[in-house]
Amino acid sequence: MRIPPAVAARREGPVVSWVAAVGVALLALALRLWNLGEPRQFQFDETYYAKDAWSLANHGYVREYVDGADEDILAGTTQGLWESEPSMIVHPEVGKWLIALGERAFGMDPFGWRIASAVVGALMVLVMVRLVRRMTGSTTLGVVAGLLLSFDGLHFVLSRLALLDIFLAFFTLCAVACVVADRDWYRARLAALAPDPVVRGWGPVRGLLWRPWLLGAGVFFGLALGTKWTAAYPLAAFGLLVWAWSAGARRARGVRRATLRSAVVDGLPAFAWMVLVALVVYVASWTGWLVHAAEYEKSLSSTQYTQFEAERPCDADGNEANDDDSGARWPTATQPDASGAGEVVQSLRSLWSYHQDLFTFHTHYLNCSEHDYASKPSGWLLMNRPVGVAADTDIQPGTRGCDAPEGSDCLRQVLLIGTPVLWWGGVLALLLAVGTWLGARDWRAGVAVVGTASTWLPWLQYDDRPIFLFYVSLSLPFVVLAIVLAMGRMIGPSRVPTPRRTAGVVVSGSFLVLVVLNFAWFWPIFTNGLLTHGEWLDRIWFQRWI
């Protein structure tokens, strides 16, 4: 018999569980802070987000910058690099505001623009430990989940880069943690309001309209959407899961036609708490843009496409399209607001036009582009093609610490790739989770499956454009969840020593050790370490990884 989470939690104690969670998070933070300012350069898309963040912090909105700004910034100069015209950004601003906090605190240098990612990455480990503990009732499994997340290469490197994906993954995981907490809260509240089986009617309604955990989920989903739009898929998926869980709880209390009735009395309030709150938070995250909407109307509404003329839009077949609208102006630039509400409505109308431009950019202008590190999402869970974010090659023997033999050389590299042992084991665990969810009706396995499916499968429809392996980092917490749930099933609920428990502990512990050893082996290519060419090839296991 499985130990009820509440019983296990009481036995282990909240102090012990919190100390364990904070300890794992501090370990993750220490790893991510080590030599964080190296390499001292803009890695991959840091060149966009770090400068956009500085502009947000100092001007309130993103401005264009002069040619050669990167070199000046690395030399310690930030004056005179930003022009007065706004820049057309292609992602929302929440993640860039967080990067800006680090820059304001520590300066406009690599450490300053990466520190926010390191802190958020460590906080994500803390949330992972607490979420798994809530779902399994086991602090040990929660700690294992936190360690697996800490020692994944994809999460580790993203926690040391000024990119948006670590913030997206953090806010999404926080939202899912709130959804799971709401499931426990709802069932406890329903049992308190209806201690006896419901023989007729809808069951309790008014007492279940206020759902504080769903409010939290709406706030975090709004912040995730304010970082990248891809959070819309897990928002929709977990919104449906909330409805299914609520209907199941009512059915268990005796309510007939619970699915349809729950759609009205639970689904509609859940939509308000999650979707409408997320929308409000999302729009609020554009406050800086809205305040400066007039500048965007003047500068971008007449040229929003011309800056992408080198990448003409493509049709569905990948051919150059002829229906671009270069030079078209936003209606808000020429039409006065007729509602009488003044500048607020006018700014919101401009924001809507701006979003139309962003949608056009993402769906048309990128289709014909190519990139050396682009990969097919169908192979992401297997780590099909990593992304090189920094490289210093051709370091000759005897220079800069290189001790390569005659005829060889050394190099430094930062590679965005997950710890292979973790991800390959995670694929097997996900297959088990699908069977457990459908066969044994284990709701916890459903969280792993729905989370992975909603954050990975939607990318399959965009495999005709350059997309990258690290986008699957949003799926990582759910892959880790599937692994620890599989460990829990192998070990079993009883603490009495048995052959099954011994075998489960050995297999689970061995897997954790293998993940840590695999992470340690790849450490130099996660951290810009100096390697001889032969040592580098020892870590590039497949030709497609080059």
Side-chain angles (χ1 to χ4, degrees), residues 25 37 79 86 188 201 205 213 263 293 330 334 406 411 430 435 457 518 521 534 540:
Q79 299 297 320
V205 175
W213 284 109
W330 295 344
T334 57
E406 187 79 18
L411 75 159
L430 283 170
L457 293 180
N518 196 195
W521 178 247
I540 305 300

Side-chain angles (χ1 to χ4, degrees), residues 17-42:
S17 64
W18 270 106
V19 169
V22 172
V24 176
L26 289 176
L27 171 64
L29 180 62
L31 289 172
R32 283 148 180 78
L33 290 179
W34 182 85
N35 212 22
L36 183 62
E38 296 295 331
R40 188 173 175 77
Q41 65 185 71
F42 289 92

Side-chain angles (χ1 to χ4, degrees), residues 414-430:
V414 178
L415 198 66
L416 260 173
I417 184 173
T419 303
V421 169
L422 187 154
W423 284 88
W424 296 343
V427 170
L428 298 178
L430 283 170

Side-chain angles (χ1 to χ4, degrees), residues 292-352:
H292 298 89
E295 284 86 347
Y296 281 90
E297 289 175 5
K298 295 174 184 177
S299 299
L300 287 183
S301 58
S302 60
T303 61
Q304 69 267 42
Y305 292 116
T306 56
Q307 61 181 303
F308 304 117
E309 284 180 350
E311 300 177 60
R312 302 279 291 185
C314 302
D315 59 24
D317 298 322
N319 302 313
E320 186 175 289
N322 296 315
D323 60 348
D324 71 317
D325 194 21
S326 298
R329 306 202 68 185
W330 295 344
T332 53
T334 57
Q335 299 175 6
D337 174 44
S339 66
E343 294 183 3
V344 174
V345 170
Q346 192 80 337
S347 296
L348 290 172
R349 292 177 64 209
S350 295
L351 184 62
W352 174 252

Side-chain angles (χ1 to χ4, degrees), residues 505-522:
V505 169
V506 170
V507 172
S508 300
S510 298
F511 181 80
L512 177 60
V513 170
L514 283 175
V515 168
V516 174
L517 291 176
N518 196 195
F519 176 84
W521 178 247
F522 281 96

Side-chain angles (χ1 to χ4, degrees), residues 52-61 96-97 100-101 103-104:
D52 287 354
W54 180 263
S55 184
L56 281 173
N58 289 273
H59 306 297
Y61 64 103
K96 285 168 279 189
W97 276 113
L101 291 177
E103 293 173 343
R104 291 299 294 268

